[in-house]
Amino acid sequence: MTAQILDGKTLAQRLKGQLQTWLAEVSPQVGRPPGLAVIWVGDNPASAAYVGQKQKSCAQVGITSFGGQFPAHTSQGELAHLIQQFNQDERVDGILVQLPLPADLDSTKLLHTITPDKDVDGLHLVNLGKLLRGEPGLQSCTPAGVMRLLGHYQIPLAGKQAVVVGRSILVGKPLGLLLLASDATVTFAHSRTPDLAGLTRQADILISAVGRQGLITPQMVKPGAVVVDVGINRTPAGLVGDVDFVGVQAVASYLTPVPGGVGAMTVAQLLLNTVQSYGQRHELVMPQFSG
């Protein structure tokens, strides 16, 4: 068996093309393009790469970028004030605080300062609450991107055993809720899970979102399982995920690469969330962006 690759990069490019075409039509009618404000604090190299990728993608589809990089010594109060300004700015449809922030800043309080309608990262209490209740709202970019990728490849989820390794509020928990909403039976695993391999071998859908190179080995994967690698690990040889890609490719039926899998879908979902917010603010009829 050789796993089919879940090509997030190609799907993301298709989605961006659809967004670009639609925005070229509607932005002149509205009188302005969508606007995304990105707040990046400090000089973390990984954050610099992510922000650059997001800003480039915004320019490609016709979204105006606001915000920018701020010194590491920027205070909590200054950032909260900046977010409030963006909350009130009619040109801004989405606000993103690039994580991680310097250790002396309270990221949770800053995220909760963003008005829920502009919370394109889906991390405000209101949007997380809507996700929990199964109500429409802005959803976390990485989990929503994973679900869109699985849907594109028509991978059945109803009745399947899904194991999510990782329980962060950024990925693991919201992704588990989305899988549950698709009628999968969901189990969360984490650092204190006994016999992790015994659990993962039961999974029809196995998702690793830990950030630990080599965590998921071929012996931990059920033959024919769908394996989604959300992990990002920087090595001298480049980016790698949590999954032993070569080994697991011989066991799984579907597998995401790193890079070129979930990361590309995360950026695409951020653009989609921004456009969704823009459409709601201007009461536009939104098409189904499917890729």
Side-chain angles (χ1 to χ4, degrees), residues 91-105:
R91 302 169 301 168
V92 174
D93 302 288
I95 303 170
L96 173 75
V97 176
Q98 181 64 44
L99 302 176
L101 291 171
D104 60 325
L105 296 172

Side-chain angles (χ1 to χ4, degrees), residues 28-101:
Q29 300 172 15
V30 173
R32 70 169 182 88
L36 174 65
V38 179
I39 299 170
W40 166 34
V41 183
D43 55 2
N44 183 305
S47 293
Y50 294 145
V51 170
Q53 185 179 10
K54 291 167 184 174
Q55 291 175 332
K56 180 180 178 181
S57 295
C58 282
Q60 288 174 342
V61 304
I63 296 174
T64 301
S65 295
F66 296 89
Q69 182 182 10
F70 298 88
H73 58 74
T74 305
S75 71
Q76 183 92 11
E78 289 171 324
L79 292 172
H81 179 68
L82 177 63
I83 291 171
Q84 292 289 10
Q85 288 181 314
F86 285 137
N87 283 339
Q88 298 166 18
D89 193 331
E90 291 299 320
R91 302 169 301 168
V92 174
D93 302 288
I95 303 170
L96 173 75
V97 176
Q98 181 64 44
L99 302 176
L101 291 171

Side-chain angles (χ1 to χ4, degrees), residues 13-288:
Q13 288 297 335
R14 291 176 182 172
L15 288 167
K16 287 193 283 189
Q18 292 180 359
L19 289 172
Q20 182 183 32
T21 299
W22 187 71
L23 289 176
E25 177 184 347
V26 301
S27 294
Q29 300 172 15
V30 173
R32 70 169 182 88
L36 174 65
V38 179
I39 299 170
W40 166 34
V41 183
D43 55 2
N44 183 305
S47 293
Y50 294 145
V51 170
Q53 185 179 10
K54 291 167 184 174
Q55 291 175 332
K56 180 180 178 181
S57 295
C58 282
Q60 288 174 342
V61 304
I63 296 174
T64 301
S65 295
F66 296 89
Q69 182 182 10
F70 298 88
H73 58 74
T74 305
S75 71
Q76 183 92 11
E78 289 171 324
L79 292 172
H81 179 68
L82 177 63
I83 291 171
Q84 292 289 10
Q85 288 181 314
F86 285 137
N87 283 339
Q88 298 166 18
D89 193 331
E90 291 299 320
R91 302 169 301 168
V92 174
D93 302 288
I95 303 170
L96 173 75
V97 176
Q98 181 64 44
L99 302 176
L101 291 171
D104 60 325
L105 296 172
D106 188 332
S107 59
T108 300
K109 284 186 177 179
L110 289 173
L111 293 172
H112 292 169
T113 304
I114 301 171
T115 186
D117 291 343
K118 294 188 179 185
D119 168 40
V120 289
D121 227 3
L123 296 176
H124 192 282
L125 285 172
V126 169
N127 289 321
L128 289 171
K130 287 181 177 179
L131 176 62
L132 181 63
R133 292 179 58 87
E135 298 176 0
L138 293 169
Q139 296 178 347
S140 302
C141 296
T142 298
V146 169
M147 296 300 291
R148 188 174 292 274
L149 185 59
L150 294 174
H152 176 75
Y153 282 90
Q154 299 181 337
I155 292 172
L157 300 176
K160 301 298 183 180
Q161 296 284 339
V163 173
V164 180
V165 185
R167 52 180 171 175
S168 75
I169 199 65
L170 294 175
V171 180
K173 288 178 181 177
L175 183 49
L177 289 171
L178 289 171
L179 289 164
L180 191 63
S182 294
D183 297 322
T185 300
V186 180
T187 302
F188 290 98
H190 46 79
S191 60
R192 296 192 178 184
T193 298
D195 190 15
L196 177 62
L199 182 63
T200 59
R201 280 195 297 269
Q202 300 175 33
D204 303 305
I205 313 289
L206 175 58
I207 298 170
S208 183
V210 175
R212 186 184 306 166
Q213 180 182 0
L215 175 65
I216 305 299
T217 65
Q219 294 74 26
M220 298 171 68
V221 177
K222 178 182 179 180
V226 177
V227 180
V228 178
D229 192 350
V230 185
I232 297 289
N233 304 283
R234 294 183 177 274
T235 73
L239 292 180
V240 298
D242 292 349
V243 176
D244 173 358
F245 182 85
V246 174
V248 170
Q249 192 175 16
V251 180
S253 59
Y254 291 88
L255 176 62
T256 60
V258 178
V262 174
M265 291 304 300
T266 298
V267 176
Q269 189 65 45
L270 172 65
L271 303 179
L272 286 164
N273 282 356
T274 303
V275 171
Q276 178 184 338
S277 177
Y278 172 77
Q280 289 176 343
R281 287 162 60 80
H282 294 283
E283 299 181 345
L284 302 175
V285 177
M286 300 289 292
Q288 291 294 321

